[in-house]
Amino acid sequence: MSTTTTPTPLGRAAAGTADYLDQRTGLGVAVKTFARKIFPDHWSFLLGEIALFSFVTLLISGVFLTMFFVPSMAETHYTGPWDSLNGVQMSEAFSSTLRLSFEVRGGLLMRQIHHWAALIFMASIVTHMMRVFFTGAFRKPRELNWVVGFTLLILGLLAGFSGYSLPDDVLSGNGLRITDGVIKAVPIIGSYASYFVFGGEFPGQDLIPRLFTVHVLLVPALILALIGLHLLFVVLHKHTQYPGSGRKDTNVVGFPLFPIYVAKAGGYFFTVFGVIALMAATMSINPVWNYGPYDPSPVSAGAQPDWYMLFLEGSLRLMPGGAEFVTWGDFTVSLNVIIPAMIVPGVLFTLLAIYPFVEAAVTGDKREHHVLDRPRNRPFRTSFGVAVLVAFFILVLAGSNDLIATHFHLSINDITWVFRVLFFVGPWLAFIITKRICLGLQRKDRELVLHGHETGRIVRFASGEYIEVHKPLDAHERWLRVQHDNIRPLEIEPAEDARGVRRKGYQVDRIRQRLSQVFYEDRVEPVTPSEVAAAHAHGHGEHDEIAADSHEPAQVGGGTHLVEPEGETTTDGRNPQV
């Protein structure tokens, strides 16, 4: 017996509204298509969502803070509940920050939510980009989306710097003074640029209002636009997925956006917001009342910016003072500032920005990729990424060399020299070690595919031969370890044709070939079907009879000989003895 239900007034109103919008905008088709979009399920994909939700938290808390913050450098005398600063002359910006912290209900909590959300926003962007880089998610057709993500990283740095400079306290003022020095170090136009930015001689009267406009209007608008573009590219290109059986470049294995991921995303937002709120309620951050209003005279140990700008501080601290000035013509070039503040960060960021295009040019690969790489199968890329990260972390530690010296009772000069050496040696060591690890893991995968997992069970034959019985890989694990492409260095045509005429474009091809040799000369060939077949054939016979007698499953490769019969070799020419 069928039953019918009468829609409620609210249901009829919702249906009528949806129908009205669909007929005039075609929204129904877009929502239907988007709701059916399949997304793979893996914890690392949540790193991007953490960045998105922490940015939403920044917007919510930022709206609250703008209602009470006064972006002015006009002088005033503070009167309020913080007794140690009563009667002290300070800017309106610093005074309003104190009022937010001690007099506005919930003001201090919202300040700390905003600051912690900013730190997590940058941390999640960095870790998300690390995941994209090491798994090769930037390959065609996602090169432009990598550039969008890289631009979001730069905008995040700008948003953070402009934000923590607004209170006009001693700590942020010291950071702005460094910024003024960096701007003035620019040859020819440095002093003019400083006057333009600060509205006169540092600190001027216009900087805080300008930073406020940049922080609450310009940068958030650009970030919102790029986040929208970033998500649009994700939908257009479809989501990448980790390698595994059944996963190909032509499909996506996962769950639909609605209702699975809509429910997950909603709950995950409140989880992220709850964690940030808990951190803000229990862990103090940026207590500006302890620093006092900006005064250029007090500078002490422990004056560090937020973690994402600490690499720039470390770069400045490591630069030797002997390279302070170099006279060039009628101009003075401050290499002690230009090199650490412009060249070093410029090189690091440029390498990150252009890497997808360099790799595509080196490999000559023009097909689309939707299945991710295992980092071990791209030794150069993985090693290069680790080397850049090591250089970054060395600079971060160097930015805290004074804290390391005071906490561990060490010489700050010795610490600085150690970091100077590590900055040049550390990335190269990290590159070499990481590459060796990747190649070793590839060899391990090859051994597992050919011979299976070791069981620790030793069998002796009547002839005196010993073998270790191996457990074969199932089809899923075998596919995971052999599915990657075998990329070899590029082969190019000769420099001269058959008539001895030099070929056009040879030099460009030769450069590409040399780069491809750097990328792919050191590699481990993946297992071929013929090698697997040979390993199967090698395992049949009396070895499998032993396994059958002991109720063991048939072995792939039949186990590895502990004592190799004289003259026997494996199909790849290596000694199989272990």
Side-chain angles (χ1 to χ4, degrees):
M1 184 174 103
S2 62
T3 59
T4 59
T5 58
T6 303
T8 62
L10 180 61
R12 287 196 297 269
T17 302
D19 183 64
Y20 179 88
L21 292 174
D22 184 34
Q23 292 184 24
R24 287 157 180 81
T25 64
L27 190 62
V29 176
V31 171
K32 185 177 181 180
T33 303
F34 190 66
R36 291 180 176 178
K37 202 74 176 176
I38 302 298
F39 288 88
D41 193 21
H42 193 272
W43 67 267
S44 65
F45 297 146
L46 298 178
L47 295 171
E49 294 188 28
I50 295 176
L52 176 62
F53 297 149
S54 57
F55 181 70
V56 173
T57 304
L58 281 169
L59 294 179
I60 295 172
S61 57
V63 169
F64 179 91
L65 296 177
T66 55
M67 296 179 181
F68 302 97
F69 180 74
V70 180
S72 172
M73 299 182 72
E75 296 295 326
T76 185
H77 289 82
Y78 174 73
T79 56
W82 192 254
D83 293 336
S84 62
L85 291 177
N86 265 324
V88 175
Q89 186 176 4
M90 60 184 65
S91 65
E92 288 279 5
F94 188 76
S95 179
S96 64
T97 303
L98 294 179
R99 285 195 298 271
L100 253 172
S101 302
F102 299 117
E103 299 179 52
V104 176
R105 188 180 298 273
L108 181 58
L109 177 64
M110 296 303 288
R111 271 195 65 230
Q112 300 200 147
I113 285 177
H114 194 72
H115 206 133
W116 279 117
L119 298 184
I120 293 177
F121 175 62
M122 291 305 302
S124 55
I125 286 180
V126 171
T127 50
H128 177 63
M129 291 189 70
M130 288 168 55
R131 197 274 302 174
V132 171
F133 181 86
F134 287 116
T135 59
F138 54 76
R139 294 171 297 171
K140 184 181 179 181
R142 298 176 180 83
E143 301 98 329
L144 293 181
N145 214 10
W146 169 266
V147 176
V148 170
F150 173 79
T151 307
L152 282 171
L153 174 66
I154 301 301
L155 288 175
L157 295 176
L158 180 58
F161 173 76
S162 60
Y164 72 65
S165 299
L166 287 177
D168 199 29
D169 59 297
V170 167
L171 186 61
S172 64
N174 289 334
L176 289 174
R177 194 68 181 91
I178 295 174
T179 304
D180 177 53
V182 172
I183 295 174
K184 287 180 177 177
V186 178
I188 303 176
I189 64 170
S191 58
Y192 302 101
S194 175
Y195 266 67
F196 173 78
V197 171
F198 293 97
E201 187 62 47
F202 179 86
Q205 292 293 319
D206 300 327
L207 183 61
I208 297 299
R210 292 177 179 180
L211 285 177
F212 184 76
T213 302
V214 169
H215 184 70
V216 305
L217 181 62
L218 179 61
V219 175
L222 292 174
I223 290 178
L224 279 172
L226 289 179
I227 286 177
L229 181 61
H230 188 71
L231 296 177
L232 176 63
F233 277 142
V234 170
V235 174
L236 291 177
H237 298 150
K238 74 185 181 182
H239 208 292
T240 55
Q241 56 186 341
Y242 281 93
S245 56
R247 298 172 183 178
K248 301 178 292 184
D249 287 329
T250 57
N251 70 354
V252 179
V253 179
F255 300 99
L257 178 69
F258 185 85
I260 303 297
Y261 277 102
V262 170
K264 282 188 174 183
Y268 199 52
F269 166 74
F270 289 107
T271 300
V272 173
F273 184 86
V275 170
I276 293 174
L278 180 63
M279 294 172 65
T282 57
M283 292 183 281
S284 177
I285 187 170
N286 198 25
V288 295
W289 51 89
N290 288 336
Y291 309 144
Y294 176 62
D295 183 345
S297 57
V299 178
S300 63
Q304 279 83 20
D306 286 336
W307 72 268
Y308 48 85
M309 296 296 292
L310 199 53
F311 78 99
L312 188 58
E313 176 85 7
S315 181
L316 288 165
R317 294 189 184 192
L318 291 186
M319 188 64 191
E324 186 173 1
F325 296 112
V326 175
T327 301
W328 172 65
D330 296 331
F331 301 99
T332 301
V333 180
S334 301
L335 291 181
N336 63 323
V337 177
I338 292 176
I339 292 176
M342 301 178 193
I343 295 179
V344 171
V347 169
L348 290 176
F349 285 128
T350 301
L351 289 174
L352 281 179
I354 68 173
Y355 184 87
F357 305 97
V358 173
E359 184 175 291
V362 167
T363 60
D365 186 6
K366 298 182 180 180
R367 67 184 182 89
E368 291 190 0
H369 296 272
H370 302 289
V371 177
L372 299 172
D373 288 326
R374 300 175 77 201
R376 67 181 64 182
N377 293 329
R378 295 293 180 265
F380 179 87
R381 180 203 300 158
T382 304
S383 305
F384 175 80
V386 171
V388 172
L389 285 176
V390 167
F392 175 80
F393 285 121
I394 288 174
L395 293 179
V396 167
L397 291 174
S400 301
N401 60 353
D402 53 345
L403 292 179
I404 296 174
T406 56
H407 280 68
F408 295 97
H409 307 289
L410 300 172
S411 167
I412 191 170
N413 293 325
D414 293 342
I415 294 172
T416 301
W417 272 106
V418 168
F419 283 132
R420 285 172 180 170
V421 174
L422 283 178
F423 180 72
F424 292 100
V425 177
W428 284 109
L429 288 177
F431 182 90
I432 294 170
I433 293 172
T434 305
K435 195 170 185 179
R436 292 294 100 193
I437 291 174
C438 289
L439 294 173
L441 291 173
Q442 287 187 48
R443 293 188 184 95
K444 180 64 175 179
D445 283 346
R446 183 181 178 87
E447 291 293 329
L448 288 175
V449 171
L450 291 175
H451 304 296
H453 291 286
E454 296 180 357
T455 63
R457 180 169 175 264
I458 307 299
V459 177
R460 181 186 180 187
F461 287 96
S463 61
E465 178 188 12
Y466 288 89
I467 69 166
E468 178 186 13
V469 180
H470 282 199
K471 179 181 178 182
L473 275 63
D474 59 36
H476 299 282
E477 185 179 0
R478 187 184 304 119
W479 172 252
L480 177 66
R481 298 181 187 277
V482 302
Q483 51 77 37
H484 60 281
D485 297 327
N486 181 22
I487 303 179
R488 295 185 174 94
L490 292 177
E491 296 182 3
I492 62 175
E493 297 179 3
E496 299 177 351
D497 59 20
R499 295 175 297 177
V501 179
R502 190 167 183 83
R503 180 171 61 87
K504 290 183 178 180
Y506 172 76
Q507 291 299 333
V508 175
D509 289 347
R510 182 59 179 155
I511 292 173
R512 289 183 60 207
Q513 184 185 46
R514 288 177 177 175
L515 285 174
S516 68
Q517 289 172 348
V518 172
F519 273 63
Y520 299 113
E521 191 169 29
D522 292 334
R523 68 190 187 281
V524 176
E525 296 286 341
V527 179
T528 62
S530 60
E531 288 177 317
V532 175
H536 273 273
H538 181 70
H540 293 311
E542 57 179 348
H543 295 182
D544 289 339
E545 292 175 9
I546 294 292
D549 292 341
S550 60
H551 306 289
E552 289 282 350
Q555 309 303 316
V556 175
T560 302
H561 291 281
L562 294 182
V563 179
E564 170 139 354
E566 186 176 352
E568 183 175 347
T569 59
T570 59
T571 55
D572 59 358
R574 289 178 295 112
N575 190 335
Q577 188 172 355
V578 295

